[in-house]
Amino acid sequence: MMKPQLGIRSHTLTDDYLQYMRQMNLSHCFVMFDNDHSNYEDVNRTLDRVRKAGLTVDDAGNDALYKHWSIYLGLEDRDLWIEKYNNLNRILGQAGVPVGYIGNSRVAHTGYFASDITHGAKGRTIDMNEILTRPPLYDKVVEEEELWENFDYLLKNALPVAKEVGMRLSLHPSDPPFPMYQGCASLIYNSDCYRKAISMADAVEPGILGIKFCCGCWLEGGEKFGNLLADLREFVRAKRVLTVHFRNVSAPIPNCVETLAEDGYFDMMSIMRVLVEEGYDQAIYPDHIFQTDPATGGDLAAFAYAIGYMKGLMNAAYSELS
Ligand SMILES: [Mn+2]
């Protein structure tokens, strides 16, 4: 069985939130740590607390470390950040967390806007033409080739540590998956980029690198990213998918709005069918939600809706194919 999960942030975790997860019949989660809570004591204290609440931690990390720009860009201080990142993976792996994260999946959007397709809620909106008018991030253009060299350097330093502590590392696409914007290339913007990353990683330590299969990013890219269902089948079969981000969007870029699962351009049930047919047994997560009114439940209500709908589709796919 695949494992529906929600996320926990170590620094804002409350008993009420753990109860909320239990009341939605969730038994799996990921945990995101901030810099102040990435030390041995805090990590183990948080993991103990989460596990005592009956939850299994599928994956965990610290986005300020694994997405660090010094690592992505290969800056002078990258070894320092890779060491901090590796130290957290050592702590997590020794504590029995099976999956960590790797790589900077850079993120951009135009804003959160209400529209008909979001029923008036504020949805994350990407206008690629607007993003392409933005000034460069750095004084020199960052080319794709440099990024692959930096990523290879990271793999050589990170994979042996992950292997030593029995951990695999999952890599998310760039969001939006566009080869170059703001004068900076993206690492993963189509399914061939993943094939390249996997073969590069396997040359260092076979089998450690995996994929955060973000359906939202695949759909934002459309055909330029790849064939979502065929790619999903291929990567699940190859045991490379460590997490699925179950998210729909209104259309491929250039103009794209995140939607409820039932409203986007893709049939989300067809994704569930592939996952069930291929025996996918790892984490599945609704990914993003609308920015909704706190007076009527806010993020908690939006996540409850998203996880309930996702579990409904999952159960339908299991019973249909049993
Ligand atoms: Mn995602």
Side-chain angles (χ1 to χ4, degrees), residues 67-253:
K67 291 188 175 184
H68 203 282
W69 282 94
S70 289
I71 303 175
Y72 190 72
L73 300 173
L75 304 184
E76 268 179 31
D77 62 348
R78 70 172 154 185
D79 288 338
L80 174 88
W81 291 104
I82 291 174
E83 195 46 32
K84 286 176 193 273
Y85 161 77
N86 275 336
N87 276 336
L88 177 58
N89 285 346
R90 284 188 188 99
I91 295 168
L92 292 169
Q94 281 160 4
V97 176
V99 173
Y101 313 129
I102 190 166
N104 181 334
S105 52
R106 57 195 303 238
V107 176
H109 50 256
T110 301
Y112 282 76
F113 302 109
S115 61
D116 286 345
I117 200 164
T118 60
H119 316 286
K122 286 181 183 158
R124 177 170 170 261
T125 302
I126 298 165
D127 175 352
M128 208 56 230
N129 292 318
E130 178 275 316
I131 291 170
L132 288 171
T133 63
R134 293 180 187 178
L137 288 170
Y138 306 100
D139 20 344
K140 74 176 187 66
V141 171
V142 179
E143 300 287 356
E144 187 174 333
E145 200 177 313
E146 297 169 51
L147 293 184
W148 283 104
E149 283 168 20
N150 298 338
F151 187 65
D152 191 37
Y153 184 88
L154 172 63
L155 292 169
K156 284 174 175 141
N157 286 280
L159 296 185
V161 172
K163 185 189 160 99
E164 189 188 306
V165 296
M167 214 179 189
R168 294 184 73 192
L169 299 174
S170 65
L171 175 64
H172 194 282
S174 296
D175 185 357
F178 200 79
M180 165 84 75
Y181 59 90
Q182 293 180 277
C184 182
S186 299
L187 190 74
I188 304 289
Y189 54 85
N190 64 35
S191 51
D192 278 340
C193 298
Y194 268 124
R195 293 181 188 98
K196 178 173 174 174
I198 287 168
S199 76
M200 194 177 256
D202 280 3
V204 180
E205 289 287 357
I208 306 284
L209 186 72
I211 298 173
K212 278 190 207 176
F213 196 103
C214 184
C215 298
C217 290
W218 248 265
L219 295 173
E220 286 166 20
E223 283 175 3
K224 284 187 181 148
F225 200 115
N227 182 313
L228 190 156
L229 296 179
D231 293 339
L232 182 62
R233 205 178 280 284
E234 172 191 330
F235 289 130
V236 170
R237 250 176 223 189
K239 302 278 181 224
R240 292 293 176 171
V241 181
L242 303 179
T243 313
V244 170
H245 285 179
F246 194 75
R247 170 164 67 91
N248 209 346
V249 302
S250 62
I253 49 178

Side-chain angles (χ1 to χ4, degrees), residues 42 44 288 312:
D42 283 322
N44 280 290
H288 305 166

